[in-house]
Amino acid sequence: EWAGDVLCISAKGRPVKPKTLGQKEYIASVLKNTVTIGVGPAGTGKTYLAVAAAVQAFREKQVNRIILTRPAVEAGERLGFLPGDLQSKVDPYLRPLYDALFDFLGQEQFSRSLEKGVIEVAPIAYMRGRTLNDAFLVLDEGQNATLETLKMVLTRFGEGSKVVLTGDITQIDLSGGQRSGLKKCAEMLSGIEGIGVVRLSNRDVVRHKLVKEIIKAFEKYERQAEQHAKNRK
């Protein structure tokens, strides 16, 4: 059980801990529940803290593998049909996940774990038809998955597993009229025992102060544009 302070120590010995109230609530939910859905804007630490929790659970042998995944939107998810080396195709979108893992494990352990298959970084399509026991699964950028895809992932985990689903419903990159399933998923599942839904906001942005100001300015503009569109009707 988490004492409410340091979540994990990075490879360079830096303690990682939630800094805001929202982040604390998020991590408390991850540790307590089997499934946590964390929704909020960029820079709130959703992915980084989820990876920290995964590494910590792995170090404490609560799980025997970590699986990090995100929808490969740009490639239309059909990665099986692409020529060339899959790794080089997938890496650009999985990069942030690699970076976070790298931070906690360091070069050597990271490479070893990938080789042994105890850590897997893969597009969502690779989750189909598998049952994941004793795994810590982090699904990142969940706003770019349809409800059907989220259902597929959320029905894959078995005994001893944990799932964290993160996303930002204001940044949806789905094409061709596909609908993001994240918001609906969070609504449908909130209130079920063992599932936590945590909403982070601008107050939880821990990047540079200027980033906060930029986000606020954009939000203000978007609100005004919405109002303007309504008024024109």
Side-chain angles (χ1 to χ4, degrees):
E1 199 48 26
W2 182 53
D5 193 28
V6 175
L7 177 63
C8 185
I9 304 285
S10 78
K12 291 190 171 145
R14 186 174 59 84
V16 173
K17 47 184 166 187
K19 293 189 172 81
T20 68
L21 281 171
Q23 287 187 347
K24 284 176 182 155
E25 188 195 338
Y26 174 53
I27 285 306
S29 172
V30 170
L31 297 173
K32 178 178 144 230
N33 294 301
T34 304
V35 176
T36 295
I37 301 173
V39 180
T44 48
K46 303 180 298 290
T47 306
Y48 196 72
L49 290 170
V51 173
V55 169
Q56 199 50 30
F58 181 66
R59 281 181 184 162
E60 290 172 5
K61 301 200 168 27
Q62 293 162 5
V63 295
N64 55 30
R65 57 207 253 245
I66 296 175
I67 297 168
L68 307 183
T69 182
R70 63 197 300 188
V73 172
E74 296 91 324
E77 272 289 15
R78 300 228 310 276
L79 291 167
F81 307 113
L82 291 172
D85 174 21
L86 172 75
Q87 213 51 31
S88 63
K89 291 276 182 299
V90 174
D91 274 355
Y93 353 16
L94 295 174
R95 193 81 260 159
L97 296 173
Y98 278 111
D99 290 345
L101 264 180
F102 204 83
D103 224 21
F104 291 114
L105 299 172
Q107 167 79 56
E108 205 178 313
Q109 201 193 348
F110 177 64
S111 306
R112 260 206 326 268
S113 305
L114 275 182
E115 268 166 43
K116 281 170 37 196
V118 292
I119 288 184
E120 203 177 320
V121 185
I124 275 184
Y126 285 67
M127 297 298 122
R128 262 176 234 289
R130 301 167 65 185
T131 302
L132 309 166
N133 293 323
D134 299 311
F136 197 121
L137 173 71
V138 178
L139 192 161
D140 191 32
E141 300 286 345
Q143 76 277 7
N144 290 329
T146 60
L147 197 55
E148 182 191 22
T149 301
L150 292 177
K151 179 186 172 189
M152 182 268 290
V153 174
L154 288 168
T155 51
R156 286 288 146 240
F157 66 89
E159 284 306 306
S161 288
K162 244 187 210 299
V163 180
V164 180
L165 169 58
T166 78
D168 173 2
I169 39 188
T170 64
Q171 294 194 335
I172 295 168
D173 304 317
L174 278 166
S175 60
Q178 288 183 299
R179 296 182 64 124
S180 168
L182 185 63
K183 200 173 176 181
K184 192 81 202 135
C185 190
E187 283 164 13
M188 274 166 29
L189 300 180
S190 74
I192 297 176
E193 183 75 31
I195 299 180
V197 176
V198 180
R199 289 180 171 81
L200 296 153
S201 73
N202 286 337
R203 288 191 296 277
D204 302 302
V205 173
V206 287
R207 286 184 183 161
H208 197 286
K209 276 207 292 285
L210 260 180
V211 173
K212 280 190 196 175
E213 293 305 318
I214 291 168
I215 291 175
K216 268 199 224 149
F218 270 90
E219 282 189 346
K220 185 178 168 191
Y221 169 74
E222 280 153 14
R223 272 199 307 273
Q224 286 167 342
E226 255 172 49
Q227 204 48 52
H228 187 62
K230 270 187 200 148
N231 295 344
R232 280 173 64 186
K233 282 177 190 165

